[in-house]
Amino acid sequence: MLIHASRVLTWPRGNYITDGAVLVKDGVIAAVGTREELRAAHPDEPVLHHADSTLLPGLIDAHAHLASGGGPDPVAALGQSVETTLLEAMRGRAEQLLRSGVTTVRDLGDGGHLALRLGDEVAEGAVAGPRIISAGIPITPPGRPGSAPGGEVSGEDEIRALIRRNASAGAQVTQVMFTGGGGRQFTQAELTAVRLESLAARVRVVAHAHSRDSITAAVAADVDTIEFCSMAEDSIEIDEQLLDEIIHWDISVCPAISPTWPILPRVIGEERADAICAAVLQMAEAGVRLIAGSDAGGRWAGHEGFGLASTLEFYEYLGLSNDRIVEMATSEAAQALGVGDKTGRIAVGYSADLLVVRGNPLSDLSALREIREVFAAGTRCHSAMAQV
């Protein structure tokens, strides 16, 4: 199958092929070039033609909670759900993400490895959804409000045991609650145990960290990504030395800005909202590797609509360039999630996780809401206005 579009976004940032096309075979990108070149080389291939459109990698949501539906208290609602009902709801949320252009999602955990089960269903083709990279059960200290069942651990032995349990179930990442609702949660020795056991299990480490103290601990523990990293929990001042260390150790940061970000000042107060904006902007200007996540399933953030596209508009509001924003949700996110050799780019040998939108998101980011086609591993999952 040949997919043609007015523009085909390639890598690095901002590059594209005018009047381009992609050849998809067996779920993989087999060739990339101009429409004329590929039609001449593959005259018998069926063609999907999209005028006034852009073909780009499928979007990657690096921070979501498939087991939660949002609302004022998603954790409490999660605890009241029956497993079979919850899994069915998760299937619907996964399909909604796919229809919104998300072809890979990093799920940051639930209490029953349900996202891992759902990921297997997607991989087997039993249900429609994005590729799911799941943390299994998040690691939390005893007594922390909102902890997942089975996730409360104390001491290095219990931490190591939970990481092994998650990894054996198929988890590809370890999620650790470094902070939340009361400052730093674990000792540095315990965090070192997290890193060492995760390395042994070949999974990446994600740190949920807001305060300066917890972010410092996350950097010292050599995590792969830091979630939120607002430095606004206990101070509105930005620690430039800490930013330098994040950059030096090539730690990715996912600010996990909710799609409802325009109402943030009313929810948390203008001073703290301004502090978060300032922190994210300073990280961007300093050169921190930022990746995009919607926190879908978090407080007041559902999975319906164009959640990640709405989140990306926050970075446009801050003044980041559209090409950088698109890479935050494609190639940069793929690299941070450990799948940069499989997805996130339009290149030969990569999975055909593709998105066709009307218009050009490099000049108008709202084009990401104008979806014409979604392909997950070459399977056509959503289609509108295609000419065959």
Side-chain angles (χ1 to χ4, degrees), residues 12-360:
R13 182 179 301 167
N15 286 0
Y16 63 84
I17 300 171
T18 302
D19 196 24
V22 169
L23 174 65
V24 176
K25 284 188 176 294
D26 299 321
V28 175
I29 297 171
V32 182
T34 66
R35 175 173 59 163
E36 183 178 357
E37 291 170 341
L38 294 194
R39 283 300 300 270
H42 307 277
D44 297 327
E45 287 287 340
V47 180
L48 295 178
H49 172 69
H50 289 281
D52 186 27
S53 60
T54 300
L55 176 62
L56 67 152
L59 302 180
I60 298 173
D61 192 333
H63 188 120
H65 306 275
L66 288 166
S68 303
D73 194 346
V75 175
L78 179 61
Q80 298 167 5
S81 301
V82 177
E83 183 175 296
T84 53
T85 303
L86 181 55
L87 186 56
E88 185 60 31
M90 292 170 68
R91 294 185 183 113
R93 292 163 191 156
E95 184 174 4
Q96 175 57 49
L97 285 175
L98 188 62
R99 291 178 63 84
S100 70
V102 173
T103 55
T104 298
V105 61
R106 183 173 63 177
D107 176 272
L108 290 177
D110 57 73
H113 291 151
L114 296 181
L116 291 169
R117 289 168 55 183
L118 178 58
D120 289 341
E121 292 180 357
V122 171
E124 293 164 0
V127 298
R131 174 189 292 103
I132 299 174
I133 298 171
S134 178
I137 301 174
I139 295 175
T140 55
R144 183 185 184 275
S147 59
E152 292 190 5
V153 290
S154 178
E156 297 176 37
D157 289 344
E158 290 186 6
I159 287 172
R160 289 178 180 275
L162 180 53
I163 293 171
R164 288 194 294 269
R165 178 185 169 198
N166 280 335
S168 66
Q172 297 159 280
V173 63
T174 296
Q175 152 92 330
V176 188
M177 308 305 292
F178 274 59
T179 187
R184 184 167 164 178
Q185 305 286 315
F186 291 103
T187 68
Q188 200 64 50
E190 290 171 329
L191 297 178
T192 299
V194 168
R195 183 57 179 170
L196 293 176
E197 194 63 42
S198 296
L199 279 172
R202 299 183 181 230
V203 298
R204 295 183 171 235
V205 179
V206 174
H208 178 291
H210 286 284
S211 68
R212 180 182 301 175
D213 183 42
S214 65
I215 296 167
T216 300
V219 172
D222 191 25
V223 302
D224 294 288
T225 67
I226 301 175
E227 308 301 296
F228 299 105
C229 197
S230 64
M231 286 184 259
E233 186 172 269
D234 54 3
S235 173
I236 63 172
E237 298 177 1
I238 306 302
D239 189 325
E240 294 186 3
Q241 180 178 350
L242 191 51
L243 288 184
D244 289 342
E245 291 184 26
I246 290 172
I247 294 167
H248 174 75
W249 295 110
D250 196 25
I251 297 171
S252 298
V253 171
C254 179
I257 299 297
S258 168
T260 59
W261 63 268
I263 68 170
L264 201 59
R266 298 204 303 270
V267 175
I268 65 174
E270 290 189 8
E271 183 178 30
R272 190 175 174 202
D274 288 345
I276 291 173
C277 289
V280 174
L281 182 58
Q282 187 159 353
M283 285 190 287
E285 292 177 341
V288 171
R289 186 191 296 273
L290 295 178
I291 60 176
S294 69
D295 198 21
R299 191 179 183 194
W300 300 117
H303 296 80
E304 65 281 350
F306 295 92
L308 186 58
S310 299
T311 289
L312 294 178
E313 288 163 6
F314 168 80
Y315 300 100
E316 182 182 41
Y317 167 77
L318 292 185
L320 275 64
S321 65
N322 285 13
D323 55 357
R324 181 175 183 181
I325 294 169
V326 170
E327 287 205 351
M328 286 171 56
T330 54
S331 58
E332 293 283 13
Q335 191 68 29
L337 271 57
V339 291
D341 60 341
K342 298 181 180 68
T343 191
R345 292 173 55 184
I346 293 181
V348 173
Y350 277 63
S351 178
D353 302 327
L354 302 168
L355 174 62
V356 182
V357 299
R358 183 168 59 186
N360 183 2

